[in-house]
Amino acid sequence: MPLKHLISFDKLLRSYDEMAKSKDALLASKAKHVLEVQAPYPELREGFSDVSLLDKHKDVISTILQDSFAEVLSENEIKAASLPYYDIVFNSSRRFQKIIKNAGPDFKPFIRNRDEGIDYIMACTVILNFYYGYKLDFSRPYFYDIPDANGVMHHYRILYNADFMELFPTDKAKELTQDDVDELLENPDDLKLWKEKIPPESFVSKGFVISNMFDVTAEQAISEIKTELIANDKRGSDDFMQDLQETFRSFFRLKDLRVGFVTYNSKSDQFERVYGKGMESFILNDKDTIHCDAALCEGSYRKILKDNDYFAISDVDKYFEISGGSEPYKGLHAQGIKSAIFAPIAAEDELLGVLEVVSTKKGQLNGVNATKLDDVMPYIVSAVIRSKIEEENLIDAIIQHECTSVHSSVYWKFQEEAKRFIVDDLEGRQASFREIVFKDVYPLYGQVDIKDSSQARNTAIQRDLMIQLSSIKDVLDLAFVKEKLPIYEELIFRADNYIESIKETLYSNSEQTIFDFVQTEVNPVLDHLKKLHPDLEKAVKEYEDTIDSTTQSYYDHRRNYDESVMEINRALVGVIDQKQVEAQEMYPHYFERFKTDGVEHNMYIGDSISGEREYDPLYLSNLRLWQLQVMCEMENKYYNLKPQLPVQLDVASLALVYSTSLSIRFRMDEKQFDVDGTYNARYEIIKKRIDKSYIKGTDERLTQKGKLSIVYSQKKDELEYLRYISFLKSKGYFTNNVEIVELEGLQGVSGLKAIRAEILYKKGKESEKTYTYQDLMEELKV
């Protein structure tokens, strides 16, 4: 420390020297008595650093300090003589002695958060004020944290009375200029600098301070509650609820106390669990939700939900008996809770949730100490409102990310436009969000498409409809045997016709026509049969058990198809999304992907998207190579998944190469990017049509299972991609089976060519062996 402390009573004794000359005989007599008691011990004036002398001379020191420590106030005042910044306390009041005794035999008070570096600088500011004469604000609160006999933590603020302190420079003290002081003030955390300007032990502090302490437990608890509730990510913190429990125990000064929360859903009039680490609810107990009228009695319901007032139960067991075991007493009784306070968390008369404070001791919580919550409820309400806003923002962010996301690579542009929008609005101009345009970007398009998906879907629909119609026929045949009604025969005839009509070809309106037939004409008849002929009820019930409740139709083959497509898409998306994280780190670019019957993706790269990062054509080449690798990995992922699928489907991959840069515009109405301008629309036309294109002069489709097709129009693109394929062959992505084909002209587009490269597959992640498509199918036996 910059101060070498000497405990001395000289300045106080000099006051007694003056008092001894007083004309007031009683005052003079008392002063002379103090001086006589001290006289044999000159070290008490001269000063000492040996703290053992405090105990040796404690009776003399008590006499010297008797005016400062009035006997009549000793049971009430929390007071002691001490050294500033040190945990050295002597001549304390009886109340302070009791507080220390109740804390336990081994407890020693120490100043909270006393940091050596900060205390050194604080001591230096004292020197700058009282010796060098620079007026600096050096005030800083100091606290003792002392538990009571029950283990509940109490907080005491320390106020120092430094009237009996003096400062003297030693030979280590330096002269300080205004420039020195300015340098210190500009570097408040540079301990080395402070020690250079005001070296250790460059001053002697001679005297003592009187520490007056005040119990600020309630105020400190309120402050801690406020701090804890303001903190971000409260529910994700391991210590939040534990710390909050301890703070509430200090606030109520009760050891056997726990705190819980429950949120209120006004739409369904029910309480819901707050999810987070350590969060609990005593109203819900082990439930996730409960209707309010089931969780509360009439009185508690009215108090909490209607009046937004505290509901206190001082004796749970008593009211459990009186109410005959109704709620909320039943649930609290089962949890061993003996007293409780339910405090509504409400804003503008709207209930947001309930704070639950409970104790395992009868009478500890009651209507009287419930009013203590008045001091903390505003902070809890603010925290809950903020938490709800954060949750709504998080929900919006999730919706945006999952449904209508703005990709991270272009998010900066949207931020800029949003800031401009806010400025225009604040300055009274008509604010409008302008369309976002990125010019001179290069597009990349690819798809891993499920082959013959329409045919597979139609086959699934055909099978389901034929099974359903056959089942209907079986029931109607039984009904016709029972009653020879022509209407049954007519319905059987129509069912046969429908079966025959879809056996070979499923028309676009067939599914809806048959669905309407079943709903409007067959189902009423089946309901009639169940009522009129109990012996047919079993047959009707067996048919109804095969009907899916969601689709209201037989849904077996279609379910298998839908689940297969969903699993395929999930697997493919998992690969490209994971790889995209790595690709963005290489160079930022716009990316979007769509799930259809397979997965399509668009990418755009260019200087206007990358923002401050400099663009080079190298990054386009890199992204093209990356795309080929990832599409091969997507194919590998799928064909290793294929044996596990309910419906055995195939996929085929295609990439489109487009050498001309274009512009993309964010369409506000559609919430997505699209190419901008008539000329650039040619790119979109090619994208939409190439997967249906044929090899020129043949009836062979371009896309084939086991091959990656790369469509292009420029010779330089052909050479570039042949280089990539040659490289990837060496890495085990392709075989030597590579062909170049010309495509039939599409409507409005001609001159397209394609490279078709046969993909090599690996069976499982760890396998080093590679397979062609045919080899893999043979190996997997699918």
Side-chain angles (χ1 to χ4, degrees):
M1 294 290 284
L3 294 167
K4 180 179 180 181
H5 289 287
L6 289 180
I7 301 170
S8 169
F9 301 94
D10 182 52
K11 191 172 182 181
L12 174 60
L13 290 169
R14 293 205 305 266
S15 298
Y16 281 110
D17 289 337
E18 293 300 317
M19 288 168 58
K21 303 172 187 176
S22 173
K23 294 179 181 179
D24 186 327
L26 184 60
L27 194 62
S29 173
K30 187 174 184 179
K32 288 174 183 177
H33 172 70
V34 171
L35 294 171
E36 287 171 2
V37 170
Q38 179 273 323
Y41 311 104
E43 62 268 30
L44 296 180
R45 276 190 183 264
E46 294 166 2
F48 56 89
S49 57
D50 183 0
V51 293
S52 66
L53 295 179
L54 290 170
D55 188 57
K56 180 180 178 181
H57 299 311
K58 65 179 180 180
D59 293 334
V60 179
I61 292 171
S62 178
T63 299
I64 296 172
L65 296 176
Q66 64 183 353
D67 285 341
S68 301
F69 289 79
E71 178 66 21
V72 293
L73 298 175
S74 189
E75 293 290 347
N76 183 47
E77 288 186 331
I78 310 171
K79 195 173 186 180
S82 66
L83 286 183
Y85 315 119
Y86 285 90
D87 298 316
I88 298 172
V89 175
F90 58 95
N91 204 78
S92 54
S93 67
R94 282 195 292 276
R95 184 176 175 192
F96 184 68
Q97 292 170 16
K98 286 180 183 177
I99 289 170
I100 299 300
K101 182 180 179 182
N102 288 337
D106 299 324
F107 182 82
K108 293 182 180 179
F110 61 91
I111 297 171
R112 181 204 304 169
N113 297 333
R114 196 185 70 195
D115 182 89
E116 180 185 354
I118 293 176
D119 274 350
Y120 191 99
I121 293 171
M122 287 291 293
C124 287
T125 60
V126 173
I127 293 168
L128 289 170
N129 270 272
F130 291 99
Y131 181 76
Y132 290 104
Y134 294 97
K135 298 305 177 185
L136 304 176
D137 182 3
F138 62 94
S139 59
R140 180 189 177 200
Y142 287 95
F143 297 90
Y144 282 137
D145 300 322
I146 305 174
D148 65 13
N150 295 319
V152 176
M153 189 63 69
H154 290 243
H155 309 285
Y156 301 89
R157 174 141 187 204
I158 307 165
L159 295 180
Y160 289 125
N161 180 340
D163 287 349
F164 306 113
M165 290 290 295
E166 295 179 285
L167 279 181
F168 301 99
T170 69
D171 55 0
K172 296 179 181 179
K174 297 181 176 182
E175 291 294 326
L176 294 183
T177 65
Q178 183 65 53
D179 289 341
D180 291 326
V181 176
D182 290 343
E183 187 179 0
L184 289 172
L185 297 180
E186 290 167 5
N187 298 276
D189 301 319
D190 189 344
L191 182 59
K192 184 179 178 181
L193 176 66
W194 284 81
K195 284 188 173 183
E196 178 192 329
K197 301 294 184 185
I198 306 177
E201 297 190 351
S202 54
F203 285 82
V204 172
S205 70
K206 186 177 178 182
F208 68 97
V209 295
I210 296 175
S211 302
N212 293 282
M213 287 157 275
F214 302 90
D215 190 336
V216 292
T217 301
E219 292 84 350
Q220 183 71 17
I222 292 170
S223 176
E224 288 179 4
I225 289 170
K226 181 179 178 181
T227 300
E228 286 162 4
L229 293 175
I230 287 172
N232 288 323
D233 194 24
K234 299 180 289 294
R235 284 185 270 180
S237 168
D238 291 320
D239 303 324
F240 170 68
M241 276 309 296
Q242 182 180 341
D243 293 345
L244 196 63
Q245 304 271 17
E246 289 299 326
T247 304
F248 266 93
R249 286 167 189 156
S250 291
F251 181 61
F252 278 94
R253 306 191 183 197
L254 299 173
K255 183 173 178 61
D256 301 297
L257 184 145
R258 291 163 68 194
V259 178
F261 293 95
V262 66
T263 61
Y264 174 65
N265 187 330
S266 59
K267 292 179 181 176
S268 54
D269 191 34
Q270 66 181 18
F271 293 128
E272 298 176 353
R273 184 172 297 282
V274 178
Y275 292 97
K277 295 179 181 177
M279 294 283 183
E280 56 185 339
S281 168
F282 308 101
I283 291 177
L284 293 175
N285 196 4
D286 57 352
K287 301 181 183 69
D288 287 329
T289 63
I290 189 171
H291 281 279
C292 297
D293 54 2
L296 303 172
C297 62
E298 184 179 344
S300 57
Y301 186 96
R302 184 181 64 255
K303 269 232 171 189
I304 296 171
L305 275 82
K306 302 299 182 185
D307 300 338
N308 287 340
D309 198 2
Y310 304 140
F311 183 74
I313 311 167
S314 59
D315 188 345
V316 170
D317 292 343
K318 172 185 172 182
Y319 286 97
F320 174 72
E321 296 293 335
I322 293 173
S323 68
S326 66
E327 297 292 1
Y329 316 107
K330 180 181 177 181
L332 297 175
H333 178 78
Q335 295 172 75
I337 294 166
K338 304 299 181 184
S339 58
I341 299 170
F342 295 145
I345 303 169
E348 297 179 356
D349 296 327
E350 178 188 353
L351 185 67
L352 306 174
V354 177
L355 167 68
E356 310 162 351
V357 186
V358 302
S359 171
T360 54
K361 292 187 178 179
K362 181 180 78 172
Q364 281 202 332
L365 296 170
N366 50 67
V368 175
N369 60 8
T371 59
K372 288 170 67 72
L373 290 171
D374 289 345
D375 295 325
V376 298
M377 289 310 293
Y379 305 120
I380 294 175
V381 170
S382 296
V384 170
I385 291 172
R386 190 168 69 106
S387 182
K388 284 179 73 69
I389 293 170
E390 288 173 354
E391 188 171 34
E392 288 169 2
N393 290 341
L394 179 60
I395 290 170
D396 289 343
I398 291 170
I399 291 171
Q400 186 195 51
H401 181 267
E402 297 298 327
C403 307
T404 57
S405 63
V406 173
H407 193 258
S408 57
S409 63
V410 296
Y411 191 66
W412 63 272
K413 189 71 173 179
F414 286 82
Q415 284 181 309
E416 284 185 356
E417 185 59 25
K419 289 176 183 176
R420 187 201 60 78
F421 182 97
I422 292 169
V423 170
D424 284 352
D425 187 53
L426 290 174
E427 295 185 355
R429 295 189 291 269
Q430 185 173 354
S432 62
F433 201 96
R434 296 180 302 204
E435 288 187 323
I436 305 294
V437 179
F438 293 99
K439 297 182 178 180
D440 294 324
V441 296
Y442 291 89
L444 294 92
Y445 170 76
Q447 65 175 42
V448 181
D449 190 42
I450 298 173
K451 289 286 288 178
D452 303 321
S453 57
S454 298
Q455 181 181 333
R457 183 187 292 108
N458 287 343
T459 300
I461 295 170
Q462 280 176 298
R463 290 174 178 173
D464 281 346
L465 292 178
M466 290 172 70
I467 291 171
Q468 183 174 1
L469 290 168
S470 296
S471 298
I472 289 169
K473 266 187 61 186
D474 292 342
V475 176
L476 293 174
D477 283 338
L478 292 174
F480 186 68
V481 171
K482 197 79 176 173
E483 290 183 282
K484 301 292 186 180
L485 295 180
I487 189 63
Y488 297 151
E489 195 174 14
E490 192 268 343
L491 289 172
I492 293 168
F493 171 76
R494 289 170 66 190
D496 274 331
N497 280 346
Y498 282 129
I499 291 172
E500 198 62 34
S501 70
I502 63 173
K503 189 178 292 184
E504 297 299 330
T505 304
L506 183 73
Y507 296 99
S508 58
N509 65 336
S510 296
E511 185 178 6
Q512 186 62 47
T513 302
I514 293 171
F515 180 82
D516 293 341
F517 165 67
V518 173
Q519 291 294 313
T520 60
E521 300 188 54
V522 174
N523 285 347
V525 172
L526 297 181
D527 291 337
H528 167 75
L529 291 175
K530 281 193 295 185
K531 295 175 185 176
L532 190 64
H533 301 290
D535 52 338
L536 292 178
E537 185 176 0
K538 182 182 177 183
V540 175
K541 186 74 167 61
E542 286 176 353
Y543 160 75
E544 290 177 339
D545 287 344
T546 67
I547 301 304
D548 181 75
S549 59
T550 305
T551 61
Q552 294 297 305
S553 61
Y554 187 80
Y555 185 66
D556 184 32
H557 294 87
R558 277 174 290 180
R559 180 187 292 109
N560 289 338
Y561 172 81
D562 289 342
E563 288 179 357
S564 297
V565 171
M566 185 174 64
E567 285 298 317
I568 293 169
N569 286 345
R570 185 182 293 125
L572 297 178
V573 162
V575 174
I576 197 167
D577 282 356
Q578 182 182 359
K579 295 294 183 181
Q580 250 296 299
V581 176
E582 301 169 9
Q584 291 294 338
E585 289 176 358
M586 297 177 199
Y587 191 82
H589 57 278
Y590 181 77
F591 169 80
E592 61 182 357
R593 46 102 174 137
F594 309 97
K595 296 179 187 176
T596 52
D597 285 348
V599 174
E600 300 177 43
H601 65 269
N602 288 315
M603 294 183 288
Y604 299 97
I605 187 169
D607 188 61
S608 60
I609 289 178
S610 61
E612 295 180 358
R613 190 164 173 182
E614 186 176 346
Y615 173 76
D616 188 278
L618 170 73
Y619 295 115
L620 172 60
S621 300
N622 183 71
L623 195 59
R624 287 175 167 177
L625 179 58
W626 173 89
Q627 182 187 35
L628 297 183
Q629 289 177 285
V630 171
M631 293 182 73
C632 288
E633 289 176 28
M634 291 168 75
E635 287 248 2
N636 265 276
K637 180 72 173 180
Y638 168 66
Y639 281 112
N640 278 282
L641 172 70
K642 182 177 178 179
Q644 305 166 29
L645 297 176
V647 179
Q648 304 293 303
L649 300 165
D650 283 301
V651 299
S653 298
L654 178 146
L656 171 62
V657 185
Y658 200 77
S659 296
T660 308
S661 66
L662 44 76
S663 297
I664 57 172
R665 181 184 297 271
F666 188 78
R667 308 291 181 187
M668 302 300 292
D669 52 345
E670 299 172 8
K671 298 293 184 283
Q672 68 178 33
F673 277 100
D674 199 357
V675 295
D676 189 37
T678 306
Y679 175 75
N680 294 329
R682 181 174 183 270
Y683 171 71
E684 287 294 329
I685 293 170
I686 297 172
K687 261 173 49 179
K688 287 179 172 61
R689 296 175 180 172
I690 51 172
D691 66 326
K692 301 291 191 288
S693 59
Y694 289 86
I695 305 300
K696 193 170 187 178
T698 74
D699 57 0
E700 180 186 345
R701 287 278 292 271
L702 167 65
T703 54
Q704 289 188 356
K705 55 194 177 185
K707 294 183 179 181
L708 173 57
S709 301
I710 305 164
V711 178
Y712 61 94
S713 61
Q714 304 290 325
K715 184 66 176 179
K716 64 183 181 65
D717 296 329
E718 177 185 300
L719 296 174
E720 179 180 351
Y721 273 84
L722 287 173
R723 288 202 317 271
Y724 298 155
I725 292 169
S726 178
F727 167 71
L728 293 175
K729 278 195 294 185
S730 70
K731 305 286 283 185
Y733 284 90
F734 295 110
T735 71
N736 288 320
N737 185 6
V738 178
E739 57 182 329
I740 297 174
V741 297
E742 288 188 49
L743 304 184
E744 287 284 2
L746 303 172
Q747 184 179 355
V749 180
S750 61
L752 294 179
K753 298 176 73 175
I755 300 170
R756 287 202 302 198
E758 186 176 36
I759 299 168
L760 273 174
Y761 298 92
K762 290 183 180 181
K763 186 182 174 186
K765 286 185 178 180
E766 306 302 323
S767 174
E768 293 297 324
K769 186 176 180 182
T770 56
Y771 303 82
T772 65
Y773 173 81
Q774 293 298 335
D775 293 338
L776 183 68
M777 294 303 100
E778 180 63 30
E779 180 72 20
L780 296 175
K781 297 287 192 278
V782 296

